[in-house]
Amino acid sequence: MLSEVAVPGCAEATTFCPSSTSRYLTQLSVLVFWPYVLVVVCAILSALYRAARAFVAWRHAVTPKSADAPPVALWRLLLGAARDGVVSMLPLAILVTFMAYTSGCAGVFGAFACESFELDAASGERHSFLLGDARVRCTPRTPEYDAIYSFGLFCLVIWCIAIPLAYAALLFRARHSILNHQPTWFSIQIGGLWREYEPWCYWWEPVEMLRKLILTGAVLLVPEKQVMARAVIGLMVSVIAVVSAGAVQPFHNFLDDLLFAVTQLVLVIAFIAVLLMDACDEGGEAGCNRFGFRSSFDVSITLFIFNITVLVLVLVSIVFSFFRAVKTKTLRLLATNDAPQLQLREGHRYHTFLSHIWSTGQDQVRGIKSQLLLLMPGIKVFLDVDDLKDSSKLEEYVAQSGSVLFFLSRRYFVSRKSGYMQSRPGAKYARARLRA
């Protein structure tokens, strides 16, 4: 009987070690809470440092000469400095939680994963034990496992669910600055969550974490008797990811989109291989023959060759994309060889405003805009024939532009029919900019 078998690490033969529960809970607590502790400690230190610097600056500012000046609320100054210190730790918090998320969720779902063993073949009696610690019995239920199960649910909420929700809340708050290409200090601090994606796909990271949550942990909730259902769930999730990657293309870089799709395709192939090999093992040679294979070994060899073929095609696509990018002339940064990520200041809608006269410059300026769009993908260029909705608001369009490009063709300063020069304020603005 199992009760007569000595469990390693126990002082006596028993089905339960009194210290196993506390040991497992301690391991799970460390796995889940260490990122929180690190981030909180760093945030407190940063807040204290910023508050101390603000206090020193305030003390130096309070002099007899400034006695007549309006007093500065010290508590408000310190509170703002401490808040800035906490926000400055957001990049560290995102980095730490992102790196620890997958392993933490795997440990949390390990609290629900048990494996059953047959105790008596005659009676069919079976007991199940925790996969993470075989000294803990799951069924029949014990108070020790109930404690682990309850704590696992708590960790599931505060880690596996709370982290994606926190990411989504941060992105939702910064959505306007991201979509409008107008970075703020807050959106810059959380740039690790959205900078690699297209602006309209700023929400992709929490969705991607949900996919990881399902594949690395949630599938363990499927009962052991239906173990192949785990592969089916993984297959469906991976297929959805492949289709989504091809349809949405969330990344800035085409190569990142390609690599993401390939990794999901490899997972699809792996899950198919698991299902086929299980069919071969359960159904024998007849089961394999139904799929055109003689054994599970033939399945593994076939899918291995298929994976190699996919990798070769990916390499060919990468090389083709590289040569296509070389032929396509675009402005790139010398440091990274990537296209610049164009940003807009607060209140701006366009990167540049094209000022011209219709009679002698309209066709040429149209060509300038086309070339700018080719050389700098993502740039927003104002051209009156494309973007002018109300001719009485020309000054507003200029104010909403980061720069003005003047095409000085014949009669530019004397014409009253040019797109931008219809108003005297516009002419004054143009002359002032040219003199500068």
Side-chain angles (χ1 to χ4, degrees), residues 65-304:
K65 295 182 179 180
S66 61
D68 297 333
V72 179
L74 178 60
W75 67 270
R76 188 175 299 174
L77 180 66
L78 296 180
L79 183 61
R83 183 180 63 250
D84 292 342
V86 172
V87 175
S88 66
M89 288 293 104
L90 282 177
L92 175 64
I94 292 172
L95 176 63
V96 172
T97 54
F98 178 82
M99 295 181 63
Y101 181 75
T102 303
S103 59
C105 287
V108 169
F109 280 100
F112 313 122
C114 301
E115 186 173 2
S116 63
F117 297 90
E118 187 178 64
L119 300 183
D120 191 348
S123 63
E125 182 183 2
R126 301 180 69 88
H127 284 188
S128 62
F129 297 86
L130 194 65
L131 281 177
D133 193 337
R135 295 168 296 185
V136 179
R137 190 180 66 193
C138 300
T139 56
R141 295 294 289 266
T142 61
E144 293 76 19
Y145 178 68
D146 288 339
I148 293 177
Y149 187 85
S150 300
F151 187 71
L153 290 177
F154 174 72
C155 293
L156 176 66
V157 173
I158 68 170
W159 180 255
C160 300
I161 297 177
I163 295 299
L165 289 180
Y167 285 1
L170 293 173
L171 290 169
F172 183 78
R173 181 181 175 184
R175 66 190 186 281
H176 294 301
S177 61
I178 298 174
L179 293 174
N180 296 327
H181 300 274
Q182 298 173 346
T184 61
W185 189 56
F186 179 78
S187 66
I188 292 174
Q189 296 301 312
I190 64 169
L193 296 177
W194 60 269
R195 193 173 292 118
E196 297 300 323
Y197 303 107
E198 296 288 350
W200 62 276
C201 285
Y202 69 92
W203 44 265
W204 187 264
E205 190 60 45
V207 176
E208 174 64 10
M209 296 184 75
L210 178 62
R211 182 190 67 84
K212 296 177 182 178
L213 176 64
I214 296 174
L215 292 182
T216 60
V219 292
L220 296 177
L221 298 179
V222 178
E224 186 182 356
K225 295 180 180 179
Q226 301 170 343
V227 66
M228 282 298 105
R230 301 176 181 177
V232 174
I233 294 174
L235 177 61
M236 291 189 296
V237 171
S238 299
V239 169
I240 293 174
V242 171
V243 175
S244 301
V248 178
Q249 296 183 353
F251 293 92
H252 273 303
N253 195 329
F254 169 75
L255 183 59
D256 292 335
D257 286 322
L258 180 62
L259 293 178
F260 179 80
V262 169
T263 55
Q264 301 312 306
L265 181 60
V266 171
L267 286 177
V268 168
I269 297 171
F271 287 123
I272 292 176
V274 170
L275 294 174
L276 289 177
M277 287 188 287
D278 180 74
C280 289
D281 294 337
E282 294 293 333
E285 185 176 352
C288 268
N289 288 334
R290 294 179 58 187
F291 297 98
F293 301 100
R294 292 177 296 179
S295 65
S296 58
F297 179 77
D298 291 344
V299 174
S300 61
I301 291 298
T302 301
L303 294 179
F304 174 77

Side-chain angles (χ1 to χ4, degrees), residues 18-39:
S19 62
S20 59
T21 302
S22 60
R23 185 179 304 174
Y24 187 85
L25 291 178
T26 301
Q27 294 174 352
L28 186 57
S29 300
V30 172
L31 187 63
V32 171
F33 288 105
W34 78 263
Y36 285 129
V37 173
L38 176 62
V39 170

Side-chain angles (χ1 to χ4, degrees), residues 303-434:
L303 294 179
F304 174 77
I305 296 174
F306 183 79
N307 280 333
I308 295 298
T309 304
V310 170
L311 292 177
V312 171
L313 292 176
V314 170
L315 291 176
V316 172
S317 300
I318 292 175
V319 173
F320 175 76
S321 301
F322 173 77
F323 283 106
R324 185 177 62 180
V326 170
K327 291 182 179 179
T328 303
K329 295 182 179 180
T330 58
L331 296 179
R332 295 182 176 272
L333 300 175
L334 291 176
T336 62
N337 198 34
D338 293 331
Q341 296 185 14
L342 303 175
Q343 305 291 348
L344 288 172
R345 294 182 179 179
E346 185 176 357
H348 286 179
R349 294 174 53 193
Y350 305 97
H351 294 100
T352 187
F353 181 103
L354 296 181
S355 176
H356 66 288
I357 178 174
W358 291 347
S359 59
T360 60
Q362 186 174 2
D363 294 338
Q364 293 86 340
V365 172
R366 165 65 70 181
I368 291 175
K369 180 175 181 179
S370 300
Q371 289 298 317
L372 286 174
L373 294 177
L374 289 175
L375 293 174
M376 304 179 70
I379 189 173
K380 293 185 177 181
V381 181
F382 179 91
L383 184 61
D384 50 9
V385 295
D386 297 333
D387 305 292
L388 183 62
K389 301 297 187 299
D390 187 350
S391 59
S392 64
K393 297 181 178 180
L394 284 171
E395 284 73 25
E396 294 184 14
Y397 288 115
V398 174
Q400 295 170 354
S401 302
S403 62
V404 178
L405 190 152
F406 299 97
F407 186 75
L408 303 180
S409 59
R410 185 169 56 90
R411 299 181 61 81
Y412 178 85
F413 287 104
V414 298
S415 174
R416 304 294 296 174
K417 297 182 180 181
S418 61
Y420 169 60
M421 299 303 298
Q422 290 180 351
S423 62
R424 290 186 177 180
K428 292 180 180 179
Y429 181 84
R431 292 187 178 96
R433 293 295 296 265
L434 289 174

